Amino acid sequence: MAEEIDDNDFYRENFSADTDWEVFNAQLGDILRKWEVDVDIGVPLQPEELFHCKWHVETKTLDMLRNGIAVDYYEALVKEREPPAEGQSSVRCLQRTNCHHDLMCNWNSFGPPIRKSSELHTLARIYGLRRFVVLHPANGANNYMKSTSEFNFFLSAAAVVAGEVSSVVPIFVQIYDPKWNFYTGVSLAPALRTNFRLIGLEQTPAECRYLTGLLSLFHDKLPASYPQSAMISVRTTYSLDAVRIRIPLYVPFDHGIGSEDIAIDGDVERLDVQHFYALPHGYAPESSTESYLVYTWPELSENVAFDSEMRTDFVPSKAPLGKIYLSVEAFSYLTLCLRDYQAAGNVKRSLESYVGRNFSGTSSGAEQTNPLDKLTEHQLTVRRERNYEMLSQAGLTKRLPGPMTESELTELLAYLFPDMHPEMALFPYSKQSFKDKFDPMRIKSAVADSLVCRLSCLLATCHAHLGGVEGMAQLWAAFTRQLRLLWDNSLTVPGIAPGFPDTRTCLLHQKLQMLNLCVERRVQREALGKRKQQQQLQQLSDEDDADDDGEFYDCDEPTSSGGSPSRAVLSLKPEGRLKLLGQQHLLDEPEEFLYIPETQEPVPKTEDQLHDDAEVMLQLGPGSGLSTQMMCTSLLSDMEAFKAANPRGKMEDFIRWYSPKDWEEVQDATGQVTHQLSVRMTTEGNTWQKVWQQAQAVPVARQRRLFDDTNEALKVLHFLETRTMSEIYALTLMPTLHTAILKLIDIYSNAHVEDIFSAHIEELLNDLCRLSRAQSNELPNVDAFLSNLGELERRFYQFKCFERLAGYPKRSNQSQVKRQFEEILKNENCCTIVNKKQAATSDIVSGGGTLYDILSPKLQQDISNRLISKDYVIRLDGDTKATEKGLYLGPQFMRAIVTGDKLRLCGAFTESTTFV
């Protein structure tokens, strides 16, 4: 029994299976090959190119540990340039990669001290690398590497895989807590290996706070002795006192004192505006600008400079290059108001759910059913002549629930309708504003300071400061009630451009233009009716007089003509003639002139009505009788008016007037020129012929109105009264944003800085143009626009602080401040204050000497307390010709950042692998 048991079947272990380390290496190698890390091409970097260029980032996740390992690839997208000449390229050592050249390049040693959330990676900032790979736990916030075994596991894998795929890109492993930014990495070359290490000390040894101790530490870490001296780059950073300018909140029509008006530290300054726009402005109390002075020594030999605890050469007065960086935190109430207004776009509740169902008040006068009431309208005519003076307006603001009182709401209505509130009107509409240059082809908005813009801004202000959505609904309800009152009294809406609805403007402006047009047509119609009534009364009076006179004559004289011929003559009596059509005659009656008839005016349409008509036409199709009837309604009216004005005319006469292009010249065989209808007019079943046959001789005075002004006005009022809050937001969004830009232009003009921000304003206008004309049924996404607007306002606050920092107006003039601030805008918040290299050639940057003289005394008072950091970069490069002798002395790099008592050391030390 025992002999039949094979002991080899027990405790068998398969040593040929792949380990986790090998599996991870294989997966990592596949990823690196896809990223082509073995290709080492590129041109030398330009000064500070890494800090301004765009970066390409890719991320892959491998199954390892509990949450997996993320592999990130970073590559700087540098500008394409011509490669160096052959003579220069021959100097490059074959053992060197772009990684080594980046380490030795001092053009990207120091980036901007002001960091942003979207800044480049820490490794690129510290080492100046253009390409690198980072391994880190996928969920590093909760599961990060904290043991030596994990460090060695992934670092050894990175080194092995780099050798297998011939990688020229350094590979890093992130260790410890991610917020500490600790990395360890390796980079391989044909005969060199560079080890990257980062450490941090909370308490810095006294000897390591200065250059002398750091040089000793650097030389101790070198793997070989170098014949040449190390090169150093130094930057010191000083902080100035934060500049805080208090620009208090201003809210139109809010006379209360808010918490923002409490006195705080900082100088108080108010913004001057020339035009009144019903939008808030000002900046939050916590707004401030911090300033940093940065002095740089780009490249020095270690034997030239001296820096120790006793004495240092790195002081501002000896720096060859000095810059000032501004970090601003400003929160504008204008941008906050517009961002807050976006919330109204998500409110789907109807207007009547806030203010009640019968918020529009009494029924419209146009709905009265008794036509005899028209005879008693003389009082309304008198009120029209008195120009907006109503008998009573007490009911406009009463019984409207909302956060605003009756007096507050009346004040807002007086701003919207100043002619109707002469005792309170402060901002009457300027007729010149509607004649000024306004390009409706650009932004789909309305004329500046028109009723549409005023209403839109008031709604946004109410939403932010005067009651939220409830206050916004209360104002809109009062506005629509005011419109209904104007219509009932046949008064036009003020602050609206005249004419037909302009589809190049916003829809709300078109609706109000339509309402005004209805009022004008109504007044004209009523006036015409009264004139006809007076004429009829006059005719009746004349007939009575004629009858009285007839008593003195004999009436038994026989008539010379019968009744039928008289009726025929009357039936051919022309009516509704406007004027002659030149000297043209009727074709069948050469002795009778051709007359242009009085016709009905074209039917105005708003943008949404045109869109609805187009949809109906598409659904009915081109052959539908209803679609033909919709298209030919106006044509039928014109044909009937033409027949009434030209009883003996025919269709050819009508075409000669209505569509001259369809009356074509033809030449017969004898060369005689005649005229005939075009092909489209003579085609069998032509619509024009059908309509001509249907048309009767009816003058325009007896025709059915094509445009029912009463019905259209009630449609406009019903449209405005039935909007939801999100629809009100959509109607007023573009005028609000347009007015916000105009308000900024006004503020900048009064501050005399419009020339600085003109390019940024033009970009905002272009963005708003695209947003306003976007063909979409959904609400436009204005987040990016508001971010750019907030950035522009933040820049203006930065300029005001820079003015104060530069000693304006006592120690500097505005032209000099503006010139230096333009450099700040171009160079991402920095401005050169001293450049000794250019000063030696009589080219002082931006008048830097003056600004340097202003800022230097602030440092000399307590220079030790204002120093916030010192940044040392030590480089030592081996002789490239030493490889011919068999010596491989690679580049050595160390950066030391001293911040108070803290020290961070970042090393990249290269060793030869020839004899390993």
Side-chain angles (χ1 to χ4, degrees), residues 435-483:
K435 298 179 181 179
D436 291 340
K437 184 178 180 181
F438 172 68
D439 187 6
M441 295 299 293
R442 187 172 188 183
I443 299 176
K444 201 174 180 64
S445 177
V447 178
D449 199 38
S450 62
L451 174 61
V452 173
C453 293
R454 291 189 180 191
L455 174 65
S456 303
C457 296
L458 275 184
L459 290 172
T461 302
C462 289
H463 186 273
H465 300 282
L466 303 178
V469 183
E470 291 79 8
M472 174 182 167
Q474 187 182 13
L475 175 61
W476 183 266
F479 168 74
T480 56
R481 181 182 289 185
Q482 186 80 81
L483 292 181

Side-chain angles (χ1 to χ4, degrees), residues 149-255:
S149 60
E150 288 180 319
F151 304 162
N152 295 333
F153 180 91
F154 292 103
L155 186 59
S156 62
V160 171
V161 174
E164 290 178 352
V165 300
S166 301
S167 173
V168 294
V169 178
I171 303 176
F172 293 87
V173 179
Q174 187 173 21
I175 61 178
Y176 297 119
D177 196 328
K179 63 183 179 182
W180 294 349
N181 287 323
F182 284 166
Y183 298 88
T184 179
V186 63
S187 176
L188 301 180
L192 300 174
R193 173 190 174 109
T194 303
N195 299 307
F196 296 88
R197 299 292 185 269
L198 281 79
I199 64 171
L201 300 176
E202 291 292 333
Q203 293 294 329
T204 307
E207 62 275 8
C208 292
R209 295 183 181 180
Y210 302 94
L211 181 60
T212 54
L214 295 173
L215 283 173
S216 300
L217 180 62
F218 176 77
H219 286 290
D220 291 342
K221 293 291 294 181
L222 296 181
S225 60
Y226 284 72
Q228 65 271 28
S229 301
M231 303 302 295
I232 60 173
S233 301
V234 181
R235 184 176 72 174
T236 58
T237 305
Y238 300 86
S239 64
L240 300 179
D241 295 333
V243 180
R244 190 186 301 271
I245 298 179
R246 180 70 179 98
I247 302 179
L249 167 65
Y250 170 76
V251 179
F253 307 107
D254 182 16
H255 307 293

Side-chain angles (χ1 to χ4, degrees), residues 697-863:
V698 182
V700 67
R702 296 199 299 269
Q703 287 184 7
R704 180 179 178 273
R705 282 184 291 164
L706 297 178
F707 178 71
D708 189 346
D709 50 73
T710 302
N711 187 32
E712 290 298 327
L714 295 179
K715 283 182 180 180
V716 172
L717 294 174
H718 181 265
F719 173 85
L720 298 176
E721 292 169 352
T722 56
R723 294 303 91 191
T724 64
M725 304 313 296
S726 61
E727 291 171 339
I728 295 174
Y729 165 79
L731 286 173
T732 57
L733 176 60
M734 291 305 157
T736 304
L737 298 180
H738 186 200
T739 308
I741 299 179
L742 297 179
K743 186 179 182 73
L744 286 186
I745 295 175
D746 186 26
I747 292 175
Y748 295 165
S749 177
N750 283 276
H752 306 289
V753 295
E754 66 276 9
D755 53 339
I756 298 179
F757 299 103
S758 59
H760 301 83
I761 289 289
E762 192 65 24
E763 290 179 3
L764 279 180
L765 291 174
N766 292 335
D767 293 341
L768 185 59
C769 177
R770 288 189 292 268
L771 286 174
S772 64
R773 301 196 173 276
Q775 300 296 330
S776 176
N777 296 328
E778 299 179 356
L779 290 175
N781 187 0
V782 297
D783 290 333
F785 176 84
L786 293 181
S787 297
N788 295 333
L789 182 68
E791 175 67 16
L792 188 58
E793 292 196 90
R794 189 182 68 87
R795 289 290 192 177
F796 177 73
Y797 185 86
Q798 187 183 34
F799 173 80
K800 302 299 292 184
C801 294
F802 184 70
E803 267 188 342
R804 195 67 53 85
L805 188 66
Y808 175 80
K810 295 182 179 180
R811 303 191 61 183
S812 61
N813 54 53
Q814 192 177 40
S815 60
Q816 179 184 356
V817 175
K818 290 167 66 173
R819 184 172 62 251
Q820 292 168 335
F821 190 76
E822 287 177 351
E823 184 182 353
I824 290 176
L825 294 178
K826 295 178 181 178
N827 297 336
E828 297 186 359
N829 300 309
C830 91
C831 171
T832 302
I833 59 177
V834 60
N835 191 331
K836 293 183 178 179
K837 182 178 180 180
Q838 294 189 10
T841 60
S842 301
D843 186 11
I844 302 177
V845 177
S846 301
T850 304
L851 186 57
Y852 176 78
D853 295 337
I854 295 173
L855 300 176
S856 294
K858 299 180 181 181
L859 292 179
Q860 295 174 0
Q861 296 174 1
D862 49 355
I863 188 171

